């Protein structure tokens, strides 16, 4: 499970979510803690300033009413805000203590001298602690000076609040935040689970389709609309591969059938004629005739074998060419002469226009095979009494060769595939009984290996194949030539 893409994607999402929530929670708690403490100190400071003003007024007037008002105000403030209030002289001796739950009382305690000195020096004191045992437990403490109208120091005021209240408030916030975090985390993990499952579903479909391919079923396709460009692109490529494999499977099966048939027919013919000669069924005066037939069938088998070997070399990249200058027109004329009997038998009109001394740079044997295959196809599929046109002429740095023949032509849907390996059409090639669909595949690869291009056109009852070959460089004159 841990090795599946779904598991890895989901675990990665979970880790990422936990890290993000952890960082967000840590930052939140840090800021909340700072804010709560800062607000508490500000509240204590404001209260201390207010009490200092009231104390200054009561001390300066010495009025009994103002003293009573001050005492009531301190009690009310301490009770409402749950604060402790200490009034001391300038030496730190406690004159009055007001507790939120016990009211006011006289006290003989003393504030540490270091705290008093710091307050008098800085005009303000802020700290956390017990003021040398004046409070039970840790308190936030703020101190300020009480001054008269002339700015002279009269007394010191200390306000303290139990830090546990702030901690309690932070704990409540923390609990609430954790509940929200847990709910959000669970919801996010559920969404992440379904998103991961949805993202990996096309991959699982492709994996199942690949298993079908391994079992020999190439008709399976995967959806190409997955709302994800990368997966859609992968699905499209996967389906294209499936179509190619399906087509290759069909071509391979057709090739095996064709090869089996093509090999069986001449072998049956050869075997029958040989047996007839051996058992005397064929008279001795007719044996030469049948030996010619056997010879033609053997040559046919040889050509098919050579074609398959050439196709295998092309497929593996082992077909090597050795370019040398040679006369293309002379070679083409030689090939046309070798088809003289077939041309005469079908009453074909030949129109040849070959430039003189058309020197090209190429491997003569391979180019010979390419031209021979094109002429053989043209003669094979031309109509009775049709016209065969062959041209070859220089064009820039290339030789342009074309061969066209009249006849049924090639269907438009077959033209893109005529150079495919093992491809044999059912319409234009229905009369082909002597090949395995490798001829044009070999021709195209031979031309391409020479740096040329090949094309086919079929319309109006005429089919034309054209290709280019690089011309041989012009021979340099001798240095001592005048």
């Amino acid at each position: 499970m841990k090795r599946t893409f779904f598991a890895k994607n989901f675990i990665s999402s979970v880790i990422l979510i936990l890290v993000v929530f952890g960082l967000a929670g840590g930052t939140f708690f840090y800021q909340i803690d700072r804010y709560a403490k800062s607000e508490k100190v500000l509240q204590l400071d404001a209260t201390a300033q207010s009490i200092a003003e009231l104390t200054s007024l009561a001390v300066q007037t010495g009025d009994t009413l103002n003293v009573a008002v001050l005492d009531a105000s301190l009690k009310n403030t301490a009770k409402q805000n749950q604060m402790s209030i200490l009034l001391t002289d300038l030496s730190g001796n406690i004159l009055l203590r007001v507790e939120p739950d016990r009211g006011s009382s006289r006290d003989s305690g003393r504030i540490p001298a270091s705290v008093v000195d710091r307050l008098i020096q800085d005009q303000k004191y802020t700290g956390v602690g017990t003021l040398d045992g004046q409070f039970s437990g840790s308190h936030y403490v703020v101190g300020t000076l009480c001054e008269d109208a002339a700015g002279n120091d009269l007394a010191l005021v200390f306000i303290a609040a139990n830090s546990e209240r702030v901690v309690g408030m932070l704990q409540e916030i923390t609990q609430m935040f954790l509940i929200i975090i847990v709910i959000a985390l669970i919801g996010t993990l559920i969404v992440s689970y379904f998103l991961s499952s949805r993202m990996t579903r096309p991959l699982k479909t492709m994996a199942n389709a690949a298993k079908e391919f391994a079992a020999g079923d190439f008709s399976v396709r995967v959806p190409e609309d997955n709302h994800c460009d990368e997966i859609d692109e992968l699905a499209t490529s996967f389906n294209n591969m499936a179509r190619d494999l399906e087509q290759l499977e069909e071509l391979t099966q057709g090739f095996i059938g064709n090869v089996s048939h093509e090999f069986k027919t001449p072998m049956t013919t050869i075997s029958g004629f040989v047996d007839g000669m051996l058992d005397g069924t064929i008279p001795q005066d007719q044996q030469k005739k049948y030996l010619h037939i056997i010879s033609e069938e053997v040559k046919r088998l040889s050509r098919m074998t050579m074609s398959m070997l050439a196709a295998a070399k092309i497929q593996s990249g082992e077909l090597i060419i050795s370019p040398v200058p040679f006369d293309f027109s002379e070679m083409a004329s030689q090939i046309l002469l070798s088809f003289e009997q077939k041309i005469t038998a079908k009453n074909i009109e030949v129109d040849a226009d070959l430039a003189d001394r058309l020197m090209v740079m190429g491997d003569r044997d391979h180019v010979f095979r390419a031209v021979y295959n094109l002429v053989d196809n043209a003669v094979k599929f031309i109509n009775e009494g049709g016209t065969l046109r062959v041209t070859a002429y220089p064009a820039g740095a290339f030789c342009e060769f074309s061969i066209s023949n009249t006849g049924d032509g090639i269907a438009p849907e077959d033209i893109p595939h005529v150079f495919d390996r093992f491809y044999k059409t059912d319409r234009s090639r229905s009369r082909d009984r002597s090949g395995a669909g490798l001829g044009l595949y070999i021709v195209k690869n031979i031309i391409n290996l020479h740096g040329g291009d090949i094309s086919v056109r079929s319309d109006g009852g005429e089919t034309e194949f054209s290709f280019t070959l690089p011309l041989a460089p012009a021979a340099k004159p001798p240095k001592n030539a005048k």
Side-chain angles (χ1 to χ4, degrees), residues 7-29:
K8 291 182 177 180
N9 185 68
F10 179 68
I11 291 173
S12 299
S13 300
V14 170
I15 293 174
L16 179 61
I17 291 170
L18 291 176
V19 169
V20 170
F21 273 98
L23 292 175
T27 304
F28 175 79
F29 289 139

Side-chain angles (χ1 to χ4, degrees), residues 75-245:
K75 291 179 181 179
N76 184 57
T77 300
K79 187 173 183 179
Q80 285 186 352
N81 297 294
Q82 292 296 302
M83 298 176 178
S84 297
I85 304 172
L86 300 179
L87 292 180
T88 74
D89 58 19
L90 296 178
S91 298
N93 297 309
I94 299 175
L95 304 176
L96 178 67
R97 175 190 292 268
V98 182
E99 298 289 349
D101 52 352
R102 292 182 296 177
S104 61
S105 62
R106 301 294 175 180
D107 200 312
S108 60
R110 181 180 176 84
I111 303 298
S114 58
V115 174
V116 174
D117 294 340
R118 179 179 168 186
L119 173 57
I120 295 175
Q121 180 179 355
D122 298 338
Q123 304 293 305
K124 186 176 181 181
Y125 171 80
T126 302
V128 180
T130 63
L131 284 184
D132 200 18
Q134 297 301 324
F135 306 108
S136 59
S138 179
H139 282 61
Y140 289 102
V141 181
V142 172
T144 188
L145 287 170
C146 178
E147 300 176 340
D148 59 15
N152 298 315
D153 297 336
L154 295 177
L156 306 179
V157 178
F158 290 92
I159 308 294
N162 196 328
S163 60
E164 291 182 358
R165 294 182 56 82
V166 178
V167 173
M169 181 186 67
L170 291 176
Q171 288 177 345
E172 293 179 2
I173 295 175
T174 300
Q175 291 175 357
M176 185 179 299
F177 180 79
L178 288 177
I179 293 173
I180 295 173
I181 285 290
V182 170
I183 295 174
L185 183 60
I186 292 173
T188 305
L189 292 178
I190 292 174
V191 173
S192 176
Y193 178 87
F194 284 105
L195 287 178
S196 299
S197 177
R198 183 175 180 180
M199 289 178 60
T200 57
R201 190 179 301 121
L203 300 179
K204 292 181 180 178
T205 303
M206 293 180 198
N208 293 331
K211 293 179 181 178
E212 296 294 330
F213 294 165
D217 182 7
F218 299 103
S219 62
V220 181
R221 298 292 183 270
V222 297
E224 297 182 6
D225 185 14
N226 301 285
H227 307 288
C228 178
D229 292 342
E230 290 81 0
I231 295 181
D232 289 345
E233 184 177 350
L234 178 61
T236 301
S237 300
F238 191 90
N239 287 336
N240 290 337
M241 179 192 68
R243 282 187 285 269
D244 292 341
L245 288 174

Side-chain angles (χ1 to χ4, degrees), residues 289-358:
K289 169 187 173 182
Y290 289 102
L291 284 174
H292 279 296
I293 296 175
I294 292 173
S295 177
E296 289 298 322
E297 293 297 326
V298 170
K299 292 177 181 177
R300 178 180 166 191
L301 286 173
S302 177
R303 287 195 300 271
M304 291 179 60
T305 303
M306 294 300 294
S307 294
M308 285 187 286
L309 289 175
K313 287 184 178 181
I314 290 171
Q315 185 69 16
S316 62
E318 296 178 358
L319 187 66
I320 300 174
I321 62 172
S322 302
V324 295
F326 69 92
D327 191 340
F328 183 86
S329 296
E330 182 272 332
M331 182 199 69
S333 299
Q334 178 184 348
I335 294 173
L336 288 173
L337 289 174
S338 69
F339 283 89
E340 183 177 3
Q341 290 184 355
K342 294 182 179 180
I343 290 173
T344 303
K346 296 184 73 170
N347 195 25
I348 299 172
E349 180 183 348
V350 179
D351 180 10
D353 182 12
L354 305 175
D356 294 334
R357 296 284 298 171
L358 187 55

Side-chain angles (χ1 to χ4, degrees), residues 375-447:
V375 175
D376 183 50
N377 277 351
V379 172
K380 187 185 302 179
F381 301 118
I382 198 170
N383 59 310
E384 190 77 23
T387 301
L388 178 68
R389 294 186 178 86
V390 181
T391 62
Y393 55 90
F398 289 88
C399 157
E400 291 197 5
F401 172 81
S402 67
I403 178 169
S404 62
N405 65 276
T406 55
D408 295 337
I410 305 174
E413 63 269 20
D414 292 325
I415 288 181
H417 305 289
V418 294
F419 296 111
D420 291 349
R421 187 174 47 152
F422 308 141
Y423 193 84
K424 293 180 70 175
T425 66
D426 293 330
R427 297 178 182 177
S428 62
R429 298 304 187 212
S430 60
R431 291 173 289 160
D432 186 1
R433 295 289 185 268
S434 61
L438 293 172
L440 293 177
Y441 170 77
I442 294 172
V443 171
K444 181 180 186 300
N445 281 275
I446 288 175
I447 298 303

